[in-house]
Every structure is written in C-alpha cells, then in structure tokens.
Amino acid sequence: MKTDSIKNVLFDLDGTLTDPVEGITRSLQYALCELGVACPAPAELHIYIGPPIRDALAILLKTTDQSLVEEALRLYRVRFSETGIYENEVYDGVPEMLADLRASSHRLFVATAKPLVFTEKIMKHFRLSNYFEGIYGSELNGKLDNKVELIRHILKNAELSPGETLMVGDRMYDIRGARENGCMSLGVIYGYGSEEELKSAGADLICDSPQEIATRLCAPG
C-alpha cells in the first residue's frame, strides 16, 4: 500500500494508544461479582478489550436480557469511571509517533468505541489531547459504539476523503470499519488482536510498534 496519499489518520484508543488491560478487566470482574456471576481470570478477559462493553457483558453473562446487560454495564461504570479509567498506560513510543505524524502534516483523530466522556478524560490525563484535531467516541447510550458507524460519522463531520484516510487499530473491528467506509487500514500487533485476526479482516498494513507506524507513514512512497 502506498502511504503518500494518506493525509488523515484515525486512531483507536484501547490497545493502540494506551494499554487499558488492568482497568477494563478489573471493572468487568467487579460487575460480574456484584451480580453473583463467577469471575474469569484477567487473562481470560483480554479478548473483550476492543468490542463494545455491552457486547462483552452479554457474552460473559450468557444472556440476551438487555435489562441485565444494562445493570452489568452500570456496575462496570461504577468502578471504571472512578478507578479503572486511570488503570491504564500509554504505550512506549506513542507520543513520539504522534509528534512525528503531526510534524509531517498528517491530520490526527481518535476513533474509539469507548464513550467520549471517558475518552476525553483519558486523553487529557495522559497529555495526548493536543496531538489530535478531533476526538470521537461513542455516547453512553451506545450510539456510535460500532466502528463502521463511528468512522462514517467522523468522515462526514470532519469532511475527510475516505481515499486519504487511514484507520489504525488493534482489532478486526477497526479494520472492518475502515473497509466498510472505503478507508485504508493499519493493524497493530502490540495490542490485543493477533496478526492473523488483523490480516483476516483485510488490514492493508501491519506494524509491531508505534515507531514502525511513524516510519511507514512518514516515509515517502
């Protein structure tokens, strides 16, 4: 894939800019335990980093009862909003990568299924906000937590050309969201999706570090 046509870069948050494993897994465990459901070990919950939390909770609870899912989500947010949100860390090399992309005149945006109210707090806390022209996330009621819909919303709202836009993320949802909207995609394998998952979803590029992302996108051709 030629990278010289890319002017706009959309970044997933969890598993791409920051590693949220502790906060998300502990908050999932809290919600399940409060409901009297057996709590999987943290390592078994890694697969749920990426999809919308409602979907993850429905699977973990083995239910289609939306009222139960919403109660679990409420409990998840009780812990996540105060504690879990900061049990998180920026991946090594991310600030430098973002600085390089900005210096090479790329327009940067955050595109995450995480609710915007939490996303903005995380970005501010880790001093990442100033690298981005726009920060986009879902609403608390679940609107825009689907990556296809979210990317479509960003393209329209920011008036971006799909052919000049790249989505960077660690899960198949990011890659599929890009493809459905006519954008290019870059999968990162330092997050929570495997190389096989990303390639199967149709990623145009695969990178194993933030440094490699900067090198690939800032190099001519």
Side-chain angles (χ1 to χ4, degrees), residues 6-12 16-17 93-112 123 127-136 154 157-158 160 164-168 186 210 213-214 217-218:
I6 298 169
K7 297 181 179 179
N8 320 301
V9 187
L10 313 182
F11 281 94
D12 178 41
T16 303
L17 297 176
V94 162
E96 294 83 358
M97 169 194 68
L98 298 174
D100 287 347
L101 292 175
R102 283 290 300 271
S104 61
S105 299
H106 289 85
R107 299 175 66 190
L108 307 184
F109 302 84
V110 173
T112 176
M123 297 295 290
R127 300 180 180 178
L128 296 176
S129 301
N130 290 340
Y131 293 108
F132 292 90
E133 182 173 328
I135 298 175
Y136 293 86
I154 296 170
N157 189 76
L160 307 180
E164 297 176 343
T165 302
L166 174 76
M167 177 70 208
V168 180
L186 187 157
I213 297 172
L217 298 186
C218 295

Side-chain angles (χ1 to χ4, degrees), residues 171-189:
R171 298 300 307 272
M172 60 185 175
Y173 313 98
D174 304 301
I175 308 306
R176 291 174 179 171
R179 288 173 61 85
E180 289 286 333
N181 284 286
C183 301
M184 293 166 279
S185 61
L186 187 157
V188 302
I189 56 174

Side-chain angles (χ1 to χ4, degrees), residues 77 80-81 85-86 112 114-123 135-140:
R77 287 175 174 167
F80 185 81
S81 63
I85 191 172
Y86 302 118
T112 176
K114 186 182 293 298
L116 181 61
V117 63
F118 298 144
T119 300
E120 289 178 331
K121 288 182 179 180
I122 291 167
M123 297 295 290
I135 298 175
Y136 293 86
S138 66
E139 298 180 13
L140 289 172

